[in-house]
Structure formats: structure tokens, C-alpha cells
Amino acid sequence: MNVMAFLLLFGFSSCQQETGGTKVNLTATEVKRLIESNQDIVVLDVRTPYEFQEGNLKGAVNIDYTSPDFEQEIAKLDTAATYLLYCKSGNRSSKATAVMKSNNFNNLYNATVGFDALRSAGVQTN
């Protein structure tokens, strides 16, 4: 596959969302670098408690996006802190990121890949 075909195939499929020059949606490699370089980041696992118990990123906090209490739970968080959200595939974390943005959280990152891909990329897990 030539470089142009590769860029067309993969470049447009990722559709990175940017806010003020900051890349919001991150690949597994970018997540690993972010966690390693930013000790103050809060890692939010938005999967179900069962999924969280099966394995999670080191230091992650579990707030289930599918819970009816999701917005009440995030309302308890510091809107000025920096958060990295992840789930099983990137779908729930993307939706949770949008909800948090609408609730005045400005320092947000979303893992576009799920827990298994993050673990495979070498992100530390429990």
C-alpha cells in the first residue's frame, strides 16, 4: 500500500477532534505518552463496574457512563482538573467526553481505542 492510500484509509477514519489546538481524541500510543508525562491526569474508566473489576488502567476511577447517575457523579469532580476517559472501544468514552464538555470540563482527552488496545500498547494496568 502506498503512503497516499494509507493516509486516505487511516487518516480520515480517525477524524481527530481538536479544541483550541489541543488534540482531544488520542490513539493508544498517545494515551501511553500522556499518562507517562502527566502525573496530575485523572484517568476515568467509564465502563460498567463489572468491566472495571475484570481489569483497568492503573489508578483509574470508575464512573459508569451507562449509569443513570453519571451526570451526578461527574458533577462531584473538579472541572479544572485534566481527565483521560476510556472504555472498551472508544464509543462510551467519546459520548462521556461530550457530556463532560457540556458540563464545563475543559481539559479532556478521549482514548479512541478500548482497554484491550491500551493494555496491548503498554499502558500500565491493575
Side-chain angles (χ1 to χ4, degrees):
M1 175 182 310
N2 69 33
V3 174
M4 185 55 102
F6 177 81
L7 290 174
L8 287 173
L9 183 62
F10 293 103
F12 292 120
S13 65
S14 61
C15 294
Q16 300 299 326
Q17 176 182 356
E18 298 197 15
T19 305
T22 302
K23 189 173 182 183
V24 174
N25 292 318
L26 305 179
T27 65
T29 304
E30 292 167 329
V31 167
K32 185 174 190 288
R33 273 189 247 140
L34 177 68
I35 290 173
E36 290 172 350
S37 67
N38 188 345
Q39 301 304 316
D40 294 332
I41 196 158
V42 178
V43 179
L44 286 182
D45 183 322
V46 297
R47 300 176 300 159
T48 66
Y50 175 78
E51 290 172 299
F52 184 79
Q53 290 173 349
E54 292 291 302
N56 54 74
L57 297 185
K58 186 174 182 175
V61 175
N62 183 221
I63 301 178
D64 181 359
Y65 172 73
T66 62
S67 166
D69 299 330
F70 179 74
E71 287 201 54
Q72 292 172 321
E73 291 300 314
I74 64 168
K76 299 173 186 175
L77 302 174
D78 179 4
T79 58
T82 301
Y83 298 91
L84 166 70
L85 285 71
Y86 77 95
C87 62
K88 182 179 171 114
S89 68
N91 185 37
R92 285 175 283 179
S93 62
S94 177
K95 292 175 182 177
T97 299
V99 170
M100 290 179 75
K101 282 184 74 74
S102 71
N103 282 280
N104 299 315
F105 288 84
N106 295 313
N107 303 311
L108 298 169
Y109 295 95
N110 172 51
T112 58
V113 296
F115 173 72
D116 291 336
L118 294 170
R119 180 176 46 201
S120 294
V123 178
Q124 289 189 345
T125 60
N126 289 322

